[in-house]
Amino acid sequence: MSSMQTITKLGAFALTFALTISTTLAQQPVRKTAVKAAPRPHASTGKVATTPVRKPVAAATATLKTQTQEPAPVANSAPTAAHQSQPQAQPVTRPIPMTRHRTTGKHDVYLNAGIGLATYYGGGVPIGISVEVAGKNNFSVGGSIDYFRYNNGYYSSGYTFVYAGARASYHLGEALNVQNSSFDPYVGATLGFRHAGYSDSYGYSYYDGYSSSYNSGLFIGIHAGARVLFSPKVGAFAELGYGVSALKLGLTAKF
């Protein structure tokens, strides 16, 4: 009886072992298929993993491009208040260079008073005054009057001359590029009337003279000179020319 139980147990153990082996063998194809199929999801998983990684990078790049390009149309279409409040840069302008020399100011008045040397008729020392008013284009206009008496040595007889005329001058400071504003060179001409009178020792006066050179009549004079201002209102002048005398020297005042 005991031997029958032993055999029965051995048989049951053998059957169980056989079933176990058969079950194991039956499951092997499933494991091989699972092993072979595993790389496919792994490969697909790799692709899926790669794709999401690339998409965020592309999205980030697109976002950066969008952020970089967005301010341009906004700035062009509608400037913000901060941009409007900032002062706009003004174009740089070069200052206009000023004239180095100013001959005469507009409507400046010059009064000259002086004496003459080396008269053209007889002798004597002429004394005279002239006035000039500055105008446009470096021109000035005015008038002059000169007086002198010439004694011929015969019993206190002699000649008296009076020159009165209108004069005009052109100031050369700008043309000569004179850099000293107090120095004023000029040239000009005078047109006027000369009165010539003769008186003898007896007190008789004659107005025709003893030769045509001393007669009364129209005269034309020319001059070239310059004035120098020692202060804004006072200076001196000198003129060379033909008319009353060859040289004039004197003082000038500016008003």
Side-chain angles (χ1 to χ4, degrees):
M1 186 71 179
S2 59
S3 59
M4 288 296 293
Q5 293 178 352
T6 302
I7 293 170
T8 301
K9 292 179 179 181
L10 290 173
F13 178 76
L15 182 59
T16 302
F17 181 75
L19 291 174
T20 302
I21 292 173
S22 63
T23 302
T24 302
L25 293 176
Q27 292 177 355
Q28 285 181 355
V30 176
R31 290 177 182 176
K32 289 181 181 180
T33 304
V35 172
K36 291 181 181 179
R40 293 179 181 178
H42 179 71
S44 62
T45 304
K47 292 180 181 180
V48 174
T50 304
T51 303
V53 172
R54 293 178 182 176
K55 286 183 179 180
V57 172
T61 305
T63 303
L64 291 175
K65 290 181 179 180
T66 304
Q67 293 177 354
T68 305
Q69 296 175 355
E70 282 180 356
V74 173
N76 293 332
S77 60
T80 60
H83 288 286
Q84 292 177 353
S85 61
Q86 294 179 357
Q88 297 181 355
Q90 298 296 330
V92 179
T93 57
R94 296 181 178 179
I96 300 174
M98 298 181 66
T99 305
R100 293 181 178 179
H101 182 271
R102 186 181 68 89
T103 54
T104 55
K106 189 176 181 180
H107 304 312
D108 285 345
V109 179
Y110 293 88
L111 177 63
N112 304 318
I115 62 174
L117 301 175
T119 59
Y120 287 96
Y121 300 101
V125 178
I127 57 174
I129 60 173
S130 64
V131 62
E132 292 181 81
V133 180
K136 297 180 179 180
N137 301 323
N138 297 325
F139 277 98
S140 64
V141 294
S144 63
I145 183 169
D146 295 272
Y147 167 86
F148 72 98
R149 178 173 175 79
Y150 166 58
N151 292 325
N152 59 10
Y154 295 99
Y155 304 103
S156 300
S157 61
Y159 297 89
T160 300
F161 296 92
V162 178
Y163 290 77
R167 59 182 276 158
S169 300
Y170 178 75
H171 300 266
L172 302 171
E174 185 176 350
L176 298 178
N177 197 23
V178 177
Q179 298 183 6
N180 185 358
S181 60
S182 63
F183 178 67
D184 179 22
Y186 54 87
V187 295
T190 304
L191 175 63
F193 180 81
R194 180 187 69 194
H195 168 76
Y198 176 78
S199 61
D200 58 18
S201 58
Y202 299 101
Y204 294 100
S205 298
Y206 306 91
Y207 297 102
D208 55 354
Y210 65 90
S211 67
S212 60
S213 299
Y214 292 85
N215 288 339
S216 301
L218 295 176
F219 81 96
I220 297 176
I222 56 175
H223 60 267
R227 66 169 56 91
V228 178
L229 294 179
F230 307 133
S231 68
K233 297 296 183 181
V234 179
F237 78 95
E239 291 182 1
L240 295 173
Y242 173 81
V244 179
S245 60
L247 175 64
K248 286 184 179 181
L249 300 173
L251 298 176
T252 184
K254 177 182 176 182
F255 298 94

